[in-house]
Amino acid sequence: MQDTQNPTVFNSFRRAAQSGEFLVTAEVAPPKGVNVAHMISMAATLKGRVHAVNITDGSRAVLRMSSLVASVILLQNGIEPICQVACRDRNRIGLQADLMGAHALGIRNILALTGDPVKVGDHPHAKGVFDLESVRLLQLIRKMNQGVDCHDKPFPDGGTDLFAGAAVDPQSPSWSGLQKRFERKVEAGAQFFQSQMITDFDVLEKFMDIIALSHNKPILAGIFLLKSAKNAEFINKCVPGVNIPQHIIDRLATAKNPLEEGMKIAAEQVQMARQLCQGVHMMAVKREDLIPQILDLAGITPVSYVN
């Protein structure tokens, strides 16, 4: 069992982000039950290829194991996590309690999220909390790092040491809204940004040049492994704000091996993102084991760990 007085602490992701290194993260979901074997095996395939593994917190409002617990399990297996924390299910008391617990257990990277609406998930009659949203959660984390709670009451034993990031959607249809929210997150303390799935790299370039560049925060472009034309069409239909171009769907539809073609497309997108921003956030639902091959195709060398 992990000694909570002397927890294992990884800071490779923070050090790489602050030094300007090209960042690679990957998303892994906690199990829907209590068996963590598959999650661990998928995350283990990413060792040495990503700076950190992002653990989702009730993504799409679907019930899964606690992101905090799953992050600690990865940490115990020598894998640096980025623990997602969503505001949907907890009030500010619960959020602060989890963040203190995360710090005590050696978790340092936090992705602050508002959370998907309850109605889109598998418990549509559950009650959403949303006491805070992502900007106010970032402000809360900054206060906790300074050694005070949300009411500015000092902690008796010092502050947390959390490296907080946020989500961004460069393809948002509201450019002014995108800029305003991005700047509010920077002001609230976001140290890095992971984007939603990117399908239009011209728009990403515009976002980087007009909005992100002056703030000098690492942006990780979301790269999604498309497994088939059917998979791409499903995403276009069911995921708001995503528009996978028809030429990519046609490539997948005519390929002898659609999965292999999807890996090539993802690798090409990694190469495009590398020219525009400081990193990529890889998403390969249920096939995280293919991410190292995609990175090889893209010419991304293994990462170095310095804690």
Side-chain angles (χ1 to χ4, degrees):
M1 187 170 179
Q2 181 69 47
D3 179 359
T4 55
Q5 296 302 314
N6 297 286
T8 298
V9 177
F10 292 156
N11 278 312
S12 290
F13 177 70
R14 185 190 320 214
R15 290 177 186 274
Q18 293 176 339
S19 69
E21 186 175 335
F22 185 74
L23 303 170
V24 184
T25 63
E27 192 163 286
V28 173
K32 290 187 176 181
V34 298
N35 188 335
V36 297
H38 180 72
M39 178 190 74
I40 293 172
S41 67
M42 288 294 100
T45 66
L46 301 169
K47 273 189 178 183
R49 299 312 308 265
V50 304
H51 292 90
V53 172
N54 192 303
I55 297 295
T56 59
D57 184 14
S59 178
R60 299 182 67 235
V62 172
L63 173 63
R64 288 182 180 272
M65 181 181 287
S66 156
S67 60
L68 173 56
V69 171
S71 294
V72 172
I73 290 170
L74 290 196
L75 196 62
Q76 291 171 341
N77 282 271
I79 301 163
E80 181 167 359
I82 297 174
C83 180
Q84 289 189 9
V85 176
C87 298
R88 178 190 57 241
D89 306 320
R90 284 154 287 190
N91 64 17
R92 66 194 69 190
I93 299 172
L95 289 166
Q96 289 175 101
D98 280 354
L99 290 166
M100 285 188 282
H103 173 91
L105 291 168
I107 305 298
R108 293 295 179 265
N109 307 311
I110 301 292
L111 190 72
L113 303 171
T114 298
D116 296 314
V118 170
K119 65 181 181 180
V120 305
D122 60 355
H123 286 62
H125 300 297
K127 186 176 181 180
V129 180
F130 295 109
D131 185 24
L132 304 180
E133 43 71 50
S134 59
V135 173
R136 293 173 70 195
L137 177 56
L138 288 164
Q139 293 169 341
L140 173 61
I141 293 170
R142 183 171 60 189
K143 282 192 172 191
M144 294 181 70
N145 282 345
Q146 294 168 347
V148 298
D149 67 14
C150 66
H151 296 302
D152 295 319
K153 182 177 180 180
F155 295 137
D157 50 5
T160 54
D161 179 29
L162 302 173
F163 189 58
V168 64
D169 183 7
Q171 297 169 156
S172 170
S174 172
W175 193 255
S176 61
L178 168 63
Q179 182 167 7
K180 181 179 179 181
R181 189 134 181 95
F182 179 81
E183 291 175 348
R184 286 184 65 208
K185 288 181 179 181
V186 171
E187 290 171 6
Q191 298 299 308
F192 67 95
F193 287 84
Q194 289 183 198
S195 91
Q196 308 292 350
M197 174 184 177
I198 298 295
T199 56
D200 189 333
F201 286 83
D202 290 335
V203 170
L204 175 62
E205 183 174 16
K206 180 182 176 184
F207 166 77
M208 292 301 303
D209 289 344
I210 297 176
I211 296 178
L213 195 60
S214 62
H215 295 284
N216 198 31
K217 298 296 181 183
I219 308 294
L220 286 77
I223 307 296
F224 191 93
L225 172 61
L226 299 168
K227 303 177 184 72
S228 66
K230 185 177 180 181
N231 177 218
E233 289 167 347
F234 174 82
I235 290 171
N236 270 351
K237 181 180 179 181
C238 299
V239 180
V242 174
N243 181 24
I244 299 167
Q246 188 60 44
H247 70 86
I248 288 181
I249 296 175
D250 292 342
R251 270 184 70 176
L252 292 164
T254 58
K256 291 182 179 179
N257 186 327
L259 180 58
E260 201 172 275
E261 193 67 24
M263 292 171 64
K264 291 178 183 177
I265 292 168
E268 291 165 9
Q269 293 177 335
V270 170
Q271 291 172 329
M272 287 188 283
R274 194 174 191 177
Q275 305 302 313
L276 301 174
C277 54
Q278 195 183 328
V280 288
H281 175 55
M282 307 298 296
M283 295 170 279
V285 181
K286 298 181 180 179
R287 290 309 311 266
E288 292 84 2
D289 56 307
L290 296 177
I291 289 175
Q293 296 179 52
I294 295 170
L295 295 173
D296 285 340
L297 288 170
I300 305 297
T301 57
V303 304
S304 58
Y305 293 113
V306 180
N307 286 306

